[in-house]
Amino acid sequence: MTSQNPVFIPGPTNIPESIRKACDIGTLDHRSPAFARLFKPAVAGVRRVLNMGDAGEVIILPSTGTGGWEAAISNTLSPGDTVLAARFGMFSHRWIDMCQRHGLNVEIIETPWGQGAPHAAIEAALRADSAHKIKVVLATHNETATGVMSDISAIRRAMDAAGHPAMLFVDGVSSIGCVPFDMAGWGVDIAVAGSQKGFMLPAGLAILGVSPKALAAMETATLPRCFFDFKDMIRTNAAGGYPYTPAVGLIAGLARAIELLEDEGLDRVYARHRRLSEGVRRAIAAWGMKPCAVSPDLHSQTVTAVVVPEGCNGTDLVQLAAQKYDVAFGVGLGEVAGKVFRIGHLGSLTDVMVLSGLAAAEMCMADLGWPIKLGSGVAAAQDYYRLNAG
Ligand SMILES: *Cc1c(COP(=O)(O)O)cnc(C)c1O
């Protein structure tokens, strides 16, 4: 039997039935008005989810989150330009690596894994840059490797306090659509999302919000770009089309995903993610374990990296869960490989579904001889969910 279990990885997330059906459309001429009818609501919906107001442009590329990063830098920067980034997990690391491979000069603020974006150090680095060499501050909103959510508004305040004109690019791949995102309010110049996390779609789209300031930067940026060129995209989108064949099924699914999010109500979607994550943390505490995020203000509402007891290996749990129970959890990546396992609690999930994931994790721990009592974490989460039901 094909597994009917939900996945508990931090992406790709579970795809609701109605989104799967929405993606399943017959061949459609992407140069016809029928495509524009499908595309426009998706773009308008992304604008609302990102809180962009009327400013800037939404860009939807056939790609993934990683391609969204590449598009962000290649459209706005030139070889040798300096960007500022903190490294505190696998995803912030990969973005830095990509910038270096593009010939950019990355000023890196090394930050222990489990901590968040270091606002004070960012402010200090910007103050020290009196020549304004730093063109962009890169921020990973939700570091999916460690389950750390950083405060983007605090980064904006640090930038303003330093009086620095750099742009702010935010990786929101594992946060957008799950937690509030205020592109206009936080002064974000490029926000990057992917289809397969908060938008509950299959992988295949990079979804970006681009501010007027980032659009202006395109005029002088000389990094090579073609497939990802925003200009071609903006020009053809304005006429209801694409510079090449769009991923029509995924775009239809995206429009449906936004309907689902807005039917539930974005505030309720965000409240659900807060509630789900708190139940997971209660369970972890009952197991006598801790999240990798070092303080409560950094706790991610979409993924928790659980630090496993001394002598235990988080990867063993993930492998056993897949083999024996057909349940997917996330392994630890990079510096925290083996030291954590990750529970994704984002996208199409309910309290009851999360309880099943916690129960499966407990069965694996018992099978592996880890020092926990079956039912302890589930009971703690049950108590929280029952008293805080949405
Ligand atoms: C998943 C993820 C990515 C990479 O996205 P892909 O769609 O796999 O390319 C980048 N950043 C963060 C924070 C992520 O969670």
Side-chain angles (χ1 to χ4, degrees), residues 309-387:
E310 254 332 285
C312 299
N313 185 328
T315 304
D316 292 346
L317 180 145
V318 175
Q319 285 173 352
L320 183 67
Q323 283 158 12
K324 188 168 174 188
Y325 302 110
D326 226 338
V327 169
F329 295 107
V331 293
L333 301 172
E335 267 184 34
V336 292
K339 296 180 189 158
V340 306
F341 77 96
R342 294 177 300 150
I343 303 176
H345 33 79
L346 72 165
S348 180
L349 285 173
T350 62
D351 300 16
V352 170
M353 289 158 89
V354 169
L355 288 172
S356 74
L358 295 170
E362 288 185 351
M363 290 194 287
C364 296
M365 293 183 206
D367 292 345
L368 293 165
W370 293 14
I372 65 121
K373 186 169 169 301
L374 274 184
S376 58
V378 171
Q382 282 172 317
D383 257 333
Y384 183 76
Y385 293 150
R386 136 185 120 67
L387 298 173

Coordinates of all heavy atoms in Angstrom, one line a residue, residues 309-387:
P309 N 19.5 13.0 22.8 CA 20.4 12.7 24.0 C 21.8 12.2 23.6 O 22.0 11.7 22.5 CB 19.6 11.6 24.7 CG 18.2 11.6 24.2 CD 18.3 12.1 22.8
E310 N 22.7 12.5 24.4 CA 24.1 12.0 24.3 C 24.1 10.5 23.9 O 23.3 9.8 24.5 CB 24.8 12.1 25.7 CG 25.8 13.2 26.0 CD 26.6 13.7 24.8 OE1 27.6 13.0 24.3 OE2 26.3 14.8 24.4
G311 N 24.9 10.2 23.0 CA 25.0 8.7 22.6 C 23.9 8.3 21.6 O 24.0 7.1 21.2
C312 N 23.0 9.1 21.3 CA 21.9 8.8 20.4 C 22.3 9.5 19.0 O 22.9 10.5 19.0 CB 20.6 9.2 20.8 SG 20.1 8.5 22.4
N313 N 21.7 8.9 17.9 CA 22.0 9.5 16.6 C 20.7 9.8 15.9 O 19.9 8.9 15.7 CB 22.8 8.6 15.8 CG 23.3 9.2 14.5 OD1 22.5 10.0 13.9 ND2 24.4 8.8 14.0
G314 N 20.4 11.1 15.7 CA 19.1 11.5 15.1 C 18.9 10.9 13.7 O 17.7 10.6 13.4
T315 N 19.9 10.6 13.0 CA 19.7 10.0 11.7 C 19.2 8.6 11.8 O 18.4 8.1 11.0 CB 21.1 10.0 10.9 OG1 21.5 11.4 10.9 CG2 20.9 9.5 9.5
D316 N 19.6 7.9 12.9 CA 19.0 6.5 13.1 C 17.5 6.6 13.2 O 16.8 5.8 12.7 CB 19.5 5.9 14.4 CG 21.0 5.6 14.4 OD1 21.6 5.6 13.2 OD2 21.6 5.4 15.4
L317 N 17.0 7.6 13.9 CA 15.6 7.7 14.1 C 14.9 8.0 12.8 O 13.9 7.4 12.4 CB 15.2 8.9 15.1 CG 13.7 9.1 15.4 CD1 13.5 9.5 16.8 CD2 13.1 10.1 14.4
V318 N 15.5 8.9 12.0 CA 14.9 9.2 10.7 C 14.8 8.0 9.8 O 13.8 7.7 9.1 CB 15.6 10.4 10.0 CG1 15.1 10.7 8.6 CG2 15.6 11.6 10.9
Q319 N 15.9 7.2 9.8 CA 15.9 6.0 8.9 C 14.9 5.0 9.4 O 14.2 4.4 8.6 CB 17.4 5.4 8.9 CG 18.3 6.3 8.1 CD 19.7 5.9 8.1 OE1 20.1 5.0 8.9 NE2 20.6 6.5 7.3
L320 N 14.9 4.8 10.7 CA 13.9 3.8 11.2 C 12.5 4.2 10.9 O 11.6 3.4 10.5 CB 14.1 3.6 12.7 CG 13.3 2.5 13.4 CD1 13.7 1.1 12.9 CD2 13.4 2.6 14.9
A321 N 12.2 5.5 11.1 CA 10.8 6.0 10.9 C 10.4 5.7 9.5 O 9.3 5.3 9.2 CB 10.8 7.5 11.2
A322 N 11.4 5.9 8.5 CA 11.0 5.7 7.1 C 10.9 4.2 6.8 O 9.9 3.8 6.2 CB 12.2 6.2 6.2
Q323 N 11.8 3.4 7.3 CA 11.7 1.9 7.0 C 10.6 1.2 7.7 O 9.9 0.4 7.1 CB 13.0 1.3 7.5 CG 14.2 1.5 6.6 CD 15.6 1.4 7.3 OE1 15.6 0.8 8.4 NE2 16.6 1.8 6.7
K324 N 10.4 1.5 9.0 CA 9.4 0.7 9.8 C 8.0 1.2 9.7 O 7.1 0.5 9.7 CB 10.0 0.5 11.2 CG 9.2 -0.4 12.1 CD 9.9 -0.7 13.4 CE 9.0 -1.6 14.3 NZ 9.6 -1.8 15.6
Y325 N 7.9 2.6 9.8 CA 6.6 3.2 9.9 C 6.2 4.0 8.7 O 5.1 4.6 8.8 CB 6.6 4.0 11.2 CG 6.9 3.2 12.5 CD1 8.1 3.4 13.1 CD2 6.0 2.2 12.9 CE1 8.4 2.7 14.3 CE2 6.3 1.5 14.1 CZ 7.5 1.7 14.7 OH 7.8 1.0 15.8
D326 N 7.0 4.1 7.7 CA 6.7 4.9 6.6 C 6.3 6.3 6.9 O 5.4 6.9 6.4 CB 5.5 4.2 5.9 CG 5.7 4.1 4.4 OD1 6.5 4.9 3.8 OD2 5.0 3.3 3.7
V327 N 7.1 6.9 7.8 CA 6.9 8.3 8.2 C 8.2 9.0 7.9 O 9.3 8.5 8.2 CB 6.6 8.4 9.7 CG1 6.6 9.8 10.2 CG2 5.2 7.8 9.9
A328 N 8.1 10.2 7.4 CA 9.3 11.0 7.1 C 9.6 12.1 8.1 O 8.7 13.0 8.3 CB 9.2 11.6 5.7
F329 N 10.7 12.1 8.7 CA 11.3 13.2 9.5 C 12.5 13.7 8.7 O 13.0 13.1 7.8 CB 11.6 12.8 10.9 CG 10.4 12.4 11.7 CD1 10.2 11.0 12.0 CD2 9.5 13.3 12.2 CE1 9.1 10.6 12.7 CE2 8.4 12.9 12.9 CZ 8.2 11.5 13.2
G330 N 13.0 14.9 9.2 CA 14.2 15.4 8.5 C 15.5 15.1 9.3 O 15.5 15.1 10.6
V331 N 16.6 14.8 8.6 CA 17.8 14.5 9.2 C 18.5 15.8 9.6 O 18.2 16.9 9.1 CB 18.8 13.7 8.3 CG1 18.3 12.3 8.1 CG2 19.1 14.4 7.0
G332 N 19.5 15.7 10.5 CA 20.3 16.9 10.8 C 21.3 17.1 9.6 O 21.8 16.1 9.0
L333 N 21.5 18.4 9.3 CA 22.4 18.7 8.1 C 23.7 19.4 8.6 O 23.6 20.1 9.6 CB 21.7 19.7 7.2 CG 20.3 19.2 6.6 CD1 19.7 20.4 5.9 CD2 20.6 18.0 5.6
G334 N 24.8 19.1 7.9 CA 26.0 19.9 8.2 C 26.5 19.7 9.6 O 26.6 18.6 10.1
E335 N 26.8 20.8 10.3 CA 27.3 20.7 11.6 C 26.5 20.0 12.6 O 27.0 19.5 13.7 CB 27.5 22.2 12.2 CG 28.8 22.8 11.9 CD 28.9 24.2 12.5 OE1 28.3 24.4 13.6 OE2 29.6 25.0 11.9
V336 N 25.2 19.9 12.4 CA 24.3 19.2 13.4 C 23.9 17.8 12.9 O 23.0 17.3 13.5 CB 23.1 20.1 13.8 CG1 23.6 21.3 14.6 CG2 22.3 20.5 12.6
A337 N 24.6 17.3 11.9 CA 24.2 16.0 11.4 C 24.3 15.0 12.5 O 25.3 15.0 13.3 CB 25.2 15.6 10.2
G338 N 23.3 14.1 12.7 CA 23.4 13.1 13.8 C 23.0 13.7 15.2 O 22.4 13.0 16.0
K339 N 23.2 15.0 15.4 CA 23.0 15.6 16.7 C 21.5 16.0 16.9 O 21.1 16.2 18.0 CB 23.8 16.8 16.9 CG 25.3 16.5 16.9 CD 26.1 17.8 17.2 CE 27.6 17.5 17.0 NZ 28.3 18.7 16.7
V340 N 20.8 16.1 15.7 CA 19.4 16.5 15.8 C 18.6 15.7 14.8 O 19.2 15.0 13.9 CB 19.2 18.0 15.4 CG1 20.0 19.0 16.2 CG2 19.4 18.3 13.9
F341 N 17.3 15.6 15.0 CA 16.4 15.2 13.9 C 15.4 16.3 13.8 O 15.2 17.1 14.8 CB 15.8 13.8 14.1 CG 14.7 13.8 15.1 CD1 13.4 13.8 14.7 CD2 15.0 13.6 16.5 CE1 12.3 13.8 15.6 CE2 13.9 13.5 17.4 CZ 12.6 13.6 17.0
R342 N 14.8 16.5 12.7 CA 13.9 17.6 12.5 C 12.4 17.2 12.3 O 12.2 16.3 11.5 CB 14.4 18.5 11.3 CG 15.7 19.1 11.6 CD 16.3 19.9 10.4 NE 16.4 19.1 9.3 CZ 16.3 19.5 8.0 NH1 16.0 20.7 7.8 NH2 16.5 18.6 7.0
I343 N 11.5 17.9 12.9 CA 10.1 17.7 12.7 C 9.6 18.9 12.0 O 9.6 20.0 12.5 CB 9.4 17.6 14.1 CG1 10.0 16.4 14.9 CG2 7.9 17.3 13.8 CD1 9.4 16.3 16.3
G344 N 9.1 18.7 10.8 CA 8.5 19.8 10.0 C 7.1 19.9 10.4 O 6.3 18.9 10.5
H345 N 6.6 21.1 10.8 CA 5.2 21.3 11.2 C 4.7 22.5 10.4 O 4.2 23.5 11.0 CB 5.1 21.4 12.7 CG 6.2 22.1 13.4 ND1 6.4 23.4 13.4 CD2 7.2 21.6 14.1 CE1 7.4 23.7 14.1 NE2 8.0 22.6 14.5
L346 N 4.8 22.4 9.1 CA 4.3 23.5 8.2 C 3.5 23.0 7.1 O 3.6 21.8 6.7 CB 5.5 24.3 7.7 CG 6.4 23.6 6.6 CD1 7.2 24.7 5.9 CD2 7.2 22.5 7.1
G347 N 2.7 23.9 6.6 CA 1.8 23.5 5.4 C 0.5 22.9 5.9 O -0.1 23.3 6.9
S348 N 0.1 21.9 5.1 CA -1.2 21.3 5.3 C -1.2 20.3 6.4 O -1.1 19.1 6.2 CB -1.7 20.6 4.0 OG -2.9 20.1 4.2
L349 N -1.2 20.7 7.7 CA -1.2 19.9 8.9 C -2.2 20.4 9.9 O -2.4 21.6 10.0 CB 0.2 19.9 9.5 CG 1.3 19.1 8.8 CD1 2.7 19.3 9.5 CD2 1.0 17.6 8.8
T350 N -2.7 19.4 10.6 CA -3.6 19.8 11.7 C -3.0 19.3 13.1 O -2.1 18.5 13.0 CB -5.0 19.1 11.6 OG1 -4.7 17.7 11.6 CG2 -5.6 19.4 10.2
D351 N -3.7 19.7 14.2 CA -3.2 19.2 15.5 C -3.2 17.7 15.5 O -2.2 17.1 16.0 CB -4.2 19.7 16.6 CG -4.4 21.2 16.7 OD1 -4.0 21.9 15.7 OD2 -4.9 21.6 17.7
V352 N -4.2 17.1 15.0 CA -4.3 15.6 15.0 C -3.2 15.0 14.2 O -2.7 14.0 14.6 CB -5.8 15.2 14.6 CG1 -5.9 13.7 14.4 CG2 -6.8 15.7 15.6
M353 N -3.0 15.5 13.0 CA -1.9 15.0 12.2 C -0.5 15.1 12.9 O 0.3 14.1 12.9 CB -1.8 15.7 10.9 CG -3.0 15.3 10.0 SD -3.3 16.6 8.7 CE -2.2 16.0 7.4
V354 N -0.3 16.2 13.6 CA 1.0 16.4 14.3 C 1.1 15.4 15.4 O 2.2 14.8 15.7 CB 1.1 17.8 14.8 CG1 2.3 18.0 15.7 CG2 1.4 18.8 13.5
L355 N 0.0 15.1 16.1 CA 0.0 14.1 17.2 C 0.5 12.8 16.7 O 1.2 12.0 17.3 CB -1.4 14.0 17.8 CG -1.8 15.1 18.7 CD1 -3.3 15.0 19.1 CD2 -0.9 15.3 19.9
S356 N 0.1 12.4 15.4 CA 0.5 11.1 14.9 C 2.0 11.1 14.6 O 2.6 10.1 14.8 CB -0.3 10.8 13.6 OG 0.1 11.6 12.5
G357 N 2.5 12.2 14.2 CA 3.9 12.3 14.0 C 4.7 12.2 15.3 O 5.7 11.5 15.3
L358 N 4.2 12.8 16.3 CA 4.9 12.7 17.6 C 4.8 11.3 18.1 O 5.8 10.8 18.7 CB 4.2 13.7 18.6 CG 4.4 15.2 18.3 CD1 3.5 16.0 19.2 CD2 5.9 15.6 18.4
A359 N 3.7 10.7 17.9 CA 3.6 9.3 18.3 C 4.5 8.4 17.6 O 5.2 7.5 18.2 CB 2.1 8.8 18.1
A360 N 4.7 8.6 16.3 CA 5.6 7.8 15.5 C 7.0 8.0 15.9 O 7.8 7.1 16.0 CB 5.4 8.1 14.0
A361 N 7.4 9.3 16.2 CA 8.7 9.6 16.7 C 9.0 8.8 18.0 O 10.1 8.3 18.2 CB 8.9 11.1 16.9
E362 N 8.0 8.8 18.9 CA 8.2 8.1 20.2 C 8.4 6.6 20.0 O 9.2 6.0 20.6 CB 6.9 8.3 21.1 CG 6.8 9.7 21.6 CD 5.7 9.9 22.6 OE1 4.8 9.0 22.7 OE2 5.6 11.0 23.2
M363 N 7.6 6.0 19.0 CA 7.8 4.6 18.8 C 9.2 4.3 18.3 O 9.9 3.3 18.7 CB 6.8 4.1 17.7 CG 5.4 4.1 18.2 SD 4.2 3.1 17.2 CE 4.0 4.2 15.8
C364 N 9.8 5.2 17.4 CA 11.1 5.0 17.0 C 12.1 5.1 18.2 O 13.1 4.3 18.3 CB 11.5 6.0 15.9 SG 10.5 5.8 14.4
M365 N 11.9 6.1 19.0 CA 12.8 6.3 20.1 C 12.8 5.1 21.0 O 13.9 4.6 21.5 CB 12.4 7.5 20.9 CG 12.6 8.8 20.2 SD 12.2 10.2 21.3 CE 11.7 11.4 20.0
A366 N 11.6 4.5 21.3 CA 11.5 3.3 22.1 C 12.2 2.2 21.4 O 13.0 1.4 22.1 CB 10.0 3.0 22.4
D367 N 12.0 2.0 20.1 CA 12.7 0.9 19.4 C 14.2 1.1 19.5 O 14.9 0.1 19.5 CB 12.3 1.0 17.9 CG 10.8 0.7 17.6 OD1 10.2 0.1 18.5 OD2 10.4 1.0 16.5
L368 N 14.7 2.3 19.5 CA 16.1 2.5 19.5 C 16.7 2.5 20.9 O 17.9 2.7 21.1 CB 16.4 3.9 18.8 CG 16.2 4.0 17.3 CD1 16.2 5.4 16.8 CD2 17.2 3.1 16.5
G369 N 15.8 2.3 21.9 CA 16.3 2.3 23.3 C 16.6 3.6 23.9 O 17.4 3.7 24.8
W370 N 16.1 4.7 23.3 CA 16.3 6.0 23.8 C 15.5 6.2 25.1 O 14.5 5.6 25.3 CB 15.9 7.1 22.8 CG 16.7 7.2 21.6 CD1 17.6 6.3 21.1 CD2 16.7 8.3 20.6 NE1 18.1 6.7 19.9 CE2 17.6 7.9 19.6 CE3 16.0 9.5 20.5 CZ2 17.8 8.7 18.5 CZ3 16.2 10.3 19.4 CH2 17.1 9.9 18.4
P371 N 16.0 7.0 26.0 CA 15.4 7.1 27.3 C 14.1 8.0 27.4 O 14.1 9.1 27.9 CB 16.5 7.7 28.2 CG 17.3 8.6 27.2 CD 17.2 7.9 25.9
I372 N 13.1 7.5 26.7 CA 11.8 8.3 26.8 C 10.7 7.3 27.2 O 10.8 6.1 27.0 CB 11.4 9.0 25.5 CG1 11.1 7.9 24.4 CG2 12.4 10.0 25.1 CD1 9.7 8.1 23.8
K373 N 9.6 7.9 27.7 CA 8.4 7.0 28.0 C 7.4 7.2 26.9 O 7.0 8.4 26.5 CB 7.9 7.5 29.3 CG 6.7 6.7 29.9 CD 6.5 7.2 31.4 CE 5.2 6.6 31.9 NZ 4.0 6.9 31.2
L374 N 6.9 6.1 26.3 CA 5.9 6.2 25.3 C 4.7 7.0 25.7 O 4.2 6.8 26.8 CB 5.5 4.8 24.9 CG 6.3 4.0 23.9 CD1 5.5 2.6 23.6 CD2 6.5 4.7 22.6
G375 N 4.3 7.9 24.9 CA 3.1 8.7 25.2 C 3.4 10.0 26.0 O 2.5 10.8 26.1
S376 N 4.6 10.1 26.5 CA 4.8 11.3 27.3 C 4.8 12.6 26.5 O 4.1 13.6 26.9 CB 6.2 11.2 28.0 OG 7.2 11.0 27.0
G377 N 5.4 12.6 25.3 CA 5.4 13.8 24.5 C 4.0 14.0 23.9 O 3.5 15.1 23.8
V378 N 3.4 12.9 23.4 CA 2.0 13.0 22.8 C 1.1 13.6 23.9 O 0.3 14.5 23.5 CB 1.5 11.6 22.4 CG1 0.1 11.6 22.0 CG2 2.4 11.1 21.2
A379 N 1.2 13.1 25.1 CA 0.2 13.7 26.2 C 0.5 15.2 26.4 O -0.5 15.9 26.5 CB 0.4 12.9 27.5
A380 N 1.7 15.6 26.4 CA 2.0 17.0 26.6 C 1.4 17.8 25.4 O 0.8 18.9 25.6 CB 3.5 17.2 26.7
A381 N 1.5 17.3 24.2 CA 1.0 18.0 23.1 C -0.5 18.0 23.1 O -1.2 19.0 22.8 CB 1.5 17.4 21.8
Q382 N -1.1 16.8 23.5 CA -2.6 16.7 23.5 C -3.1 17.8 24.5 O -4.1 18.4 24.2 CB -3.0 15.3 24.1 CG -2.9 14.2 23.0 CD -3.1 12.9 23.6 OE1 -2.6 12.6 24.7 NE2 -3.8 12.0 23.0
D383 N -2.5 17.9 25.6 CA -3.0 18.9 26.6 C -2.9 20.3 26.0 O -3.9 21.1 26.2 CB -2.1 18.8 27.9 CG -2.8 18.1 29.0 OD1 -4.1 18.1 29.0 OD2 -2.1 17.5 29.8
Y384 N -1.9 20.6 25.3 CA -1.7 21.9 24.8 C -2.8 22.1 23.7 O -3.5 23.1 23.7 CB -0.3 22.2 24.2 CG -0.2 23.6 23.7 CD1 -0.1 24.6 24.6 CD2 -0.3 23.8 22.3 CE1 0.0 25.9 24.1 CE2 -0.2 25.1 21.8 CZ -0.1 26.2 22.7 OH 0.0 27.5 22.2
Y385 N -2.9 21.2 22.8 CA -3.9 21.3 21.7 C -5.3 21.4 22.2 O -6.2 22.1 21.7 CB -3.7 20.2 20.6 CG -2.4 20.3 19.9 CD1 -1.8 19.1 19.4 CD2 -1.8 21.5 19.6 CE1 -0.6 19.1 18.7 CE2 -0.6 21.5 19.0 CZ 0.0 20.4 18.5 OH 1.2 20.4 17.8
R386 N -5.6 20.5 23.2 CA -7.0 20.5 23.6 C -7.4 21.8 24.3 O -8.6 22.3 24.2 CB -7.1 19.2 24.5 CG -7.7 19.2 25.8 CD -7.4 17.8 26.4 NE -6.8 17.9 27.6 CZ -7.3 18.5 28.7 NH1 -8.5 18.9 28.7 NH2 -6.6 18.6 29.8
L387 N -6.5 22.5 24.9 CA -6.8 23.7 25.6 C -6.7 24.9 24.7 O -7.1 26.0 25.1 CB -5.9 23.9 26.8 CG -6.1 22.8 27.9 CD1 -5.0 22.9 29.0 CD2 -7.5 22.8 28.5

